[in-house]
């Protein structure tokens, strides 16, 4: 789709823009037949006898085509589903085309009706061409056109999806769908967002906000699962005059089960892969005043080297706790608030015996490199031993609620 320039004017409600045309544009309309295309013997030769009985018979035999969008309609809402039906004949072909391409659709088995499989694009003119075969065996072609309402960028919301298409992720990875403009009709969108997996695993959506929805299975993904995500929201009414734009389809794979168990009291991390303990790593976590959160966290990002500055987590430059390290190695993000797992060669003497960090989980460079190499985005890190709880919305905190509680934030229940 070619995107319009973002308007500098206040957001206009599409519902207002289209209200004036609803009566005319969405009412079903019958279109009279165009000149018929002959099929078989069409040499009927005109009227027979007084009163033109043959002409009347021919007119009665001609089928009519009805659409749910009036011929020449302007400002048609983009959430309209085009429908075409025939009376007195059988549809053999329906084409709905625009500069954006053909609109896919399905013809009923009996040829009585056709329905579009997708919604419409904004500010676009569509041409409808329908071929119907009458009871006399002749083909009749009907044509019409209409134009949809334009939308500014402020009246459209676009989705982005994590994981990425083709990515291999850990067993704790949620599906994350983010919208750049808020969705207030969550139920309408959730009906159009599906997650399917092989093997099948139950799961649910959970709206973190009007701009973000997550989906997680009831328990951690089974290793080797393939997952398909279909965000079919193009043209869907998001509420407040906003409409979804551009569908998203993503497929990803779940890798081995990596679960890392961290105990802030014993200062140890146990690394499990597919249930087998691979290594126990001495670590240090947050000291008093910077307590590391307990709960289930998920690896969100990985960086071979990352600058870490205390000002980004609210510690002012020049204070006794300030830091600015240009090249922290093997950093893996756990929370939006700034908790990472990373190499901490400066605290090796405390690893395994004391908590001395500002909330991150530090380990030796050798252990950090080994862990970094095996870790996938979506791997699980389970923390115990502190009185500061992890929350659902601080990163991929989706596992810090029971499945029943998590499901309550679905718009569909």
């Amino acid at each position: 789709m070619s995107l319009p320039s973002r308007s500098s004017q206040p957001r206009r409600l599409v519902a207002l823009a289209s209200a004036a045309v609803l009566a005319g544009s969405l009412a079903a309309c019958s279109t009279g037949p165009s000149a018929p295309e002959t099929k078989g013997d069409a040499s009927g030769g005109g009227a027979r006898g007084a009163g033109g009985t043959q002409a009347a018979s021919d007119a009665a035999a001609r089928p009519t085509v009805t659409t749910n969008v009036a011929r020449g309609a302007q400002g048609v809402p983009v959430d309209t589903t085009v429908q075409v039906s025939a009376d007195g004949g059988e549809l053999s072909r329906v084409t709905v085309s625009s500069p954006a391409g053909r609109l896919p659709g399905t013809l009923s088995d009996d040829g009585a009706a056709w329905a579009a499989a997708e919604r419409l694009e904004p500010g676009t003119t569509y041409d409808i061409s329908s071929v119907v075969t009458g009871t006399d065996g002749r083909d009749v072609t009907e044509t019409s056109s209409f134009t949809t309402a334009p939308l500014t960028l402020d009246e459209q919301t676009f989705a982005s999806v994590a994981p990425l298409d083709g990515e291999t992720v850990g067993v704790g990875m949620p599906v994350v769908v983010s919208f750049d403009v808020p969705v207030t009709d969550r139920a309408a969108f959730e009906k159009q967002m599906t997650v399917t997996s092989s093997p099948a695993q139950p799961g649910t959506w959970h709206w973190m906000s009007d701009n973000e929805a997550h989906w997680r299975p009831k328990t951690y993904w089974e290793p080797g699962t393939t997952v398909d995500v279909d965000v079919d929201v193009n043209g869907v009414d998001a509420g407040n005059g906003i409409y979804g734009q551009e569908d998203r389809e993503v497929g990803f794979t779940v890798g081995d089960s990596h679960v890392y168990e961290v105990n802030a009291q014993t200062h140890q991390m146990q690394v499990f892969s597919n249930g087998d303990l691979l290594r126990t790593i001495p670590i240090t976590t947050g000291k008093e005043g910077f307590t590391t959160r307990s709960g289930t966290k998920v690896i969100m990002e990985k960086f071979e080297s990352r600058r870490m500055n205390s000002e980004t987590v609210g510690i002012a430059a020049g204070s006794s706790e300030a830091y600015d390290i240009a090249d922290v190695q093997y950093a893996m993000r756990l929370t939006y608030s700034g908790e990472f797992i990373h190499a901490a060669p400066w605290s090796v003497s405390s690893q395994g015996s004391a908590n001395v960090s500002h909330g991150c989980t530090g380990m030796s460079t050798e252990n950090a490199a080994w862990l970094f190499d095996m870790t996938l985005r979506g791997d699980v890190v389970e923390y115990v031993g502190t009185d500061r709880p992890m929350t659902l919305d601080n990163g991929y905190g989706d596992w810090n609620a029971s499945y029943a509680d998590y499901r309550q934030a679905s718009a569909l229940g």
Side-chain angles (χ1 to χ4, degrees):
M1 145 188 337
S2 297
L3 301 180
S5 299
R6 181 178 293 272
S7 173
S8 59
Q9 300 298 318
R11 178 176 291 128
R12 296 179 295 106
L13 300 181
V14 170
L16 293 178
S18 60
V21 299
L22 285 177
S25 66
L26 295 182
C29 64
S30 296
T31 59
S34 306
E37 300 173 357
T38 59
K39 180 179 180 181
D41 183 5
S43 58
R48 296 180 182 175
T53 55
Q54 180 61 44
S57 176
D58 287 348
R62 290 182 182 178
T64 58
V65 174
T66 302
T67 70
N68 65 330
V69 183
R71 183 192 300 272
Q74 300 290 315
V76 176
V78 295
D79 61 346
T80 302
T81 300
V82 177
Q83 298 177 6
V84 180
S85 59
D87 184 31
E90 182 177 322
L91 289 166
S92 59
R93 184 175 74 251
V94 175
T95 302
V96 182
S97 58
S98 76
R102 285 192 177 186
L103 191 66
T106 302
L107 187 65
S108 63
D109 291 340
D110 60 3
W114 179 94
E118 295 181 1
R119 292 163 289 276
L120 307 173
E121 300 297 330
T124 301
T125 297
Y126 287 84
D127 297 311
I128 303 176
S129 177
S130 306
V131 177
V132 60
T133 304
T135 55
D136 60 358
R138 292 186 294 176
D139 285 346
V140 174
T141 299
E142 299 288 352
T143 61
S144 65
S145 64
F146 65 90
T147 302
T148 56
L151 297 174
T152 68
L153 279 180
D154 287 340
E155 295 165 335
Q156 303 174 66
T157 185
F158 292 82
S160 60
V161 180
L164 301 176
D165 189 43
E167 186 175 359
T168 299
V169 300
V171 297
M173 184 71 194
V175 174
V176 179
V177 182
S178 302
F179 300 98
D180 63 341
V181 176
V183 174
T184 53
D185 192 344
R186 297 178 178 183
F189 265 49
E190 190 171 322
K191 289 176 183 177
Q192 301 301 130
M193 303 191 307
T194 59
V195 178
T196 55
S197 66
S198 179
Q201 289 150 76
T204 184
W205 288 102
H206 178 106
W207 287 83
M208 299 290 182
S209 68
D210 285 347
N211 290 85
E212 186 168 300
H214 290 203
W215 192 100
R216 53 156 271 205
K218 189 172 184 179
T219 58
Y220 296 153
W221 292 108
E222 295 181 26
T225 297
T226 57
V227 185
D228 292 302
V229 182
D230 186 3
V231 182
D232 181 22
V233 297
N234 189 61
V236 176
D237 189 346
N240 290 337
I242 312 301
Y243 289 84
Q245 290 297 303
E246 293 191 3
D247 298 335
R248 295 283 186 264
E249 294 184 10
V250 170
F252 63 92
T253 302
V254 180
D256 289 337
S257 174
H258 295 160
V259 178
Y260 312 151
E261 297 182 358
V262 177
N263 189 318
Q265 294 296 315
T266 64
H267 318 292
Q268 303 289 327
M269 172 191 286
Q270 291 184 305
V271 179
F272 292 89
S273 178
N274 297 322
D276 296 327
L277 177 62
L278 300 186
R279 185 177 294 195
T280 298
I281 299 174
I283 51 94
T284 184
T285 60
K287 60 187 175 182
E288 185 176 354
F290 301 93
T291 304
T292 301
R293 294 163 177 82
S294 284
T296 302
K297 304 168 191 176
V298 173
I299 301 293
M300 301 171 62
E301 297 177 285
K302 296 175 62 181
F303 306 90
E304 288 195 15
S305 179
R306 181 178 175 87
R307 180 183 179 185
M308 293 192 175
N309 186 298
S310 62
E311 293 180 81
T312 64
V313 292
I315 302 173
S319 74
S320 60
E321 297 293 347
Y323 57 86
D324 187 0
I325 307 172
D327 57 349
V328 176
Q329 292 184 286
Y330 308 117
M332 299 188 288
R333 180 184 287 278
L334 295 170
T335 69
Y336 293 136
S337 60
E339 290 188 21
F340 284 77
I341 295 171
H342 61 72
W346 54 83
S347 66
V348 168
S349 62
S350 297
Q351 292 165 17
S353 59
N355 292 322
V356 298
S357 81
H358 291 89
C360 290
T361 301
M363 61 188 66
S364 71
T365 301
E366 185 273 329
N367 280 325
W370 174 81
L371 190 67
F372 185 92
D373 286 344
M374 70 173 285
T375 297
L376 299 168
R377 182 161 73 139
D379 282 348
V380 176
V381 190
E382 298 175 345
Y383 282 78
V384 297
T386 74
D387 58 2
R388 188 182 187 189
M390 177 63 176
T391 57
L392 281 172
D393 58 355
N394 189 3
Y396 300 161
D398 303 75
W399 301 100
N400 293 283
S402 68
Y403 183 71
D405 289 344
Y406 187 83
R407 188 170 185 172
Q408 287 181 4
S410 163
L412 301 179

